[in-house]
Amino acid sequence: MKNIVLVLRMAGNDFKSRYAASVLGILWAFVLPIITIIVFWVVFQLGFKSVPIQNVPYILWFAAAYVPWIYFNDMLSFGVNALSDYSYLVKKVRFQVGCIPLIRIVSSMLVHLFFILFLYFMFWCYGMPLSFFSMVQALYYSCALTCFTSGLVFLLSSLAVFFRDVAQLVMVILQIGFWVTPIFWNAREIEQSVLDVVRLNPLFYIIEGYREGFIYHVPFWEHPAMACYFWTVTIVIGTVGYFTFKRLRPHFADEL
């Protein structure tokens, strides 16, 4: 219980400290993603006159997938440097080092909760109010994304202590991942053979799941095969991440 309270308190401080030196402060955590959504709205919906996708305005279709991507991007990009950023805590003998990656995950979660509400606001503005069902869907897929990314954060943050290029590699992968994940393009319009490859990306399950919850109203239990694949990958990554972190933990202080 003490560790939970500690993580929550430190996550709040971590969230504030990210933007402490800027004039707008923590508002930058919300402004930048909102600007991206506005840019896509102007470029695709107003500029290219993108037609509604299955009677849903393009910007809503895009935002439903972009919101979980923001969460994933924040958790991974900030989480990979967690141990080096909190090196002074790593060197404390009595501190639970395993709490440090969780601080970054919870800190990113605060931003994600805001954008879930922002997504509801967008749908309301377009006259498409959402039901309690969409809340359940958002909760399930948010938890699934958190579990999947947590394993990656523990794995990559421990490796980044010894190999500093890991952080830069993660940024490159995130840049590529945004374009190969069906966030702004429709996976239902590509060939089946290509779609089978795209589905191997665990984020496909999450991105499409958010859309199905907010737009198509398809419950998550109607995709048992995809769920089984996603949770198998999540458990494998989580297990590898846990044991890698545990194995390397005694050497963190020496490297930092």
Side-chain angles (χ1 to χ4, degrees):
M1 185 65 182
K2 289 182 180 180
N3 287 340
I4 295 176
V5 174
L6 176 64
V7 168
L8 292 175
R9 187 174 72 250
M10 294 191 67
N13 293 334
D14 178 84
F15 177 63
K16 292 187 228 178
S17 65
R18 288 188 199 177
Y19 310 94
S22 60
V23 176
L24 293 180
I26 62 174
L27 290 178
W28 281 116
F30 310 104
V31 170
L32 293 178
I34 290 175
I35 289 176
T36 302
I37 292 174
I38 293 174
V39 168
F40 269 81
W41 176 64
V42 172
V43 172
F44 287 95
Q45 192 154 320
L46 299 184
F48 292 139
K49 303 294 183 183
S50 298
V51 297
I53 299 177
Q54 296 183 334
N55 298 321
V56 177
Y58 177 82
I59 191 58
L60 295 183
W61 184 87
F62 166 74
Y66 185 58
V67 164
W69 174 262
I70 297 171
Y71 185 33
F72 174 73
N73 184 86
D74 283 356
M75 280 193 290
L76 207 55
S77 59
F78 288 114
V80 69
N81 293 315
L83 295 175
S84 58
D85 290 344
Y86 284 93
S87 59
Y88 63 95
L89 292 179
V90 175
K91 296 175 182 179
K92 285 190 175 181
V93 178
R94 301 189 176 212
F95 189 81
Q96 295 291 331
V97 180
C99 293
I100 295 178
L102 297 178
I103 293 171
R104 287 289 166 85
I105 293 171
V106 175
S107 177
S108 299
M109 193 181 299
L110 299 176
V111 180
H112 184 58
L113 291 176
F114 166 82
F115 277 105
I116 289 290
L117 297 177
F118 182 74
L119 199 54
Y120 272 90
F121 175 72
M122 289 181 64
F123 274 79
W124 178 80
C125 288
Y126 273 86
M128 299 177 65
L130 298 169
S131 64
F132 176 75
F133 170 78
S134 62
M135 295 185 185
V136 175
Q137 291 281 99
L139 177 62
Y140 167 75
Y141 285 108
S142 294
C143 291
L145 181 55
T146 303
C147 292
F148 170 72
T149 315
S150 295
L152 286 176
V153 169
F154 273 88
L155 173 62
L156 296 174
S157 63
S158 58
L159 293 177
V161 173
F162 303 91
F163 308 100
R164 301 307 169 97
D165 290 342
V166 170
Q168 283 69 36
L169 182 60
V170 166
M171 300 308 296
V172 172
I173 293 174
L174 286 173
Q175 290 290 331
I176 298 173
F178 176 79
W179 300 103
V180 300
T181 304
I183 299 172
F184 71 97
W185 52 273
N186 192 356
R188 290 175 169 82
E189 294 180 352
I190 63 178
E191 296 181 3
Q192 185 62 42
S193 58
V194 179
L195 181 60
D196 291 339
V197 175
V198 172
R199 281 177 173 167
L200 295 177
N201 178 0
L203 289 180
F204 178 91
Y205 177 71
I206 300 296
I207 297 300
E208 289 297 303
Y210 268 76
R211 282 198 178 116
E212 290 184 342
F214 281 92
I215 297 174
Y216 305 122
H217 306 293
V218 177
F220 61 85
W221 55 82
E222 289 196 6
H223 301 291
M226 283 296 298
C228 183
Y229 170 74
F230 172 83
W231 285 108
T232 299
V233 173
T234 298
I235 291 172
V236 170
I237 292 177
T239 303
V240 172
Y242 171 78
F243 283 105
T244 301
F245 190 91
K246 184 178 179 181
R247 180 72 180 271
L248 298 178
R249 181 170 53 191
H251 309 288
F252 289 158
D254 295 333
E255 292 295 325
L256 296 171

